[in-house]
Amino acid sequence: KEYLTPVAMTGQLTDRTTHQILTPPDDRVDWSGRDATQLEQYLRKVGYVPHWIPTECVAAFPATTQTENLVSLQQIMDDINKIDPPIHPVDYKGKRTPVDAPFAARLKENLADRTKICLYDEDMRRA
C-alpha cells in the first residue's frame, strides 16, 4: 500500500514489454488478507526480475553508475576465479577478513563456492 499508492497509482509504472502505464489489478492498493496472485503477476509485468540464482552468484552493487565500475567488478571476479586451487568457505574458518580489507579480499570470503557475481547493472537502474 505504501508503495502502490504513491508510485503505481500515479502512473509511474509501465509494462516492461509494451511500455504502457499499468496500475494494479482493479486499482487495488491494499492486498492485505487477499490472494496476491494477481498482484504478483502485475509486479512481474512492471518490475525487472533478474535471473539470479543465489547459490550460484553473489549480488554486487557498483559504487557508482559508471560503466567502468561494472567492468571493474567483473574483472575482480574473473581474477578470483583464476585462483588455483579454488577458494572454499572452509579456507576462512577461524581466519576472518577484516571489514576494512580491500573489496576483492572481502568478496573472496563471501563467495562460499559461488563462481559468479550478479551485477546490479544498467538495465536494473533503468527499471
Side-chain angles (χ1 to χ4, degrees), residues 55-77:
T55 57
E56 294 180 5
C57 64
V58 63
F61 298 84
T64 71
T65 58
Q66 297 175 343
T67 303
E68 298 82 40
N69 283 312
L70 292 172
V71 173
S72 174
L73 285 172
Q74 187 59 59
Q75 183 59 54
I76 290 169
M77 189 69 223

Side-chain angles (χ1 to χ4, degrees), residues 22-73:
L22 287 182
T23 57
D26 301 324
D27 289 337
R28 180 176 292 123
V29 294
D30 186 357
W31 290 83
S32 301
R34 295 183 178 267
D35 178 5
T37 303
Q38 287 182 314
L39 176 62
E40 291 167 2
Q41 292 169 347
Y42 164 76
L43 293 174
R44 283 190 188 95
K45 285 183 180 181
V46 298
Y48 182 86
V49 183
H51 184 69
W52 287 3
I53 301 171
T55 57
E56 294 180 5
C57 64
V58 63
F61 298 84
T64 71
T65 58
Q66 297 175 343
T67 303
E68 298 82 40
N69 283 312
L70 292 172
V71 173
S72 174
L73 285 172

Side-chain angles (χ1 to χ4, degrees), residues 58 60 72-83 87 92 95-112 114 117:
V58 63
S72 174
L73 285 172
Q74 187 59 59
Q75 183 59 54
I76 290 169
M77 189 69 223
D78 292 344
D79 291 343
I80 291 170
N81 282 330
K82 291 176 187 172
I83 296 172
I87 298 166
Y92 288 93
K95 303 177 215 165
R96 291 188 178 172
T97 302
V99 294
D100 59 351
F103 172 74
R106 291 181 288 122
L107 179 60
K108 282 191 280 188
E109 180 182 15
N110 283 284
L111 285 174
R114 293 172 282 198
I117 52 174

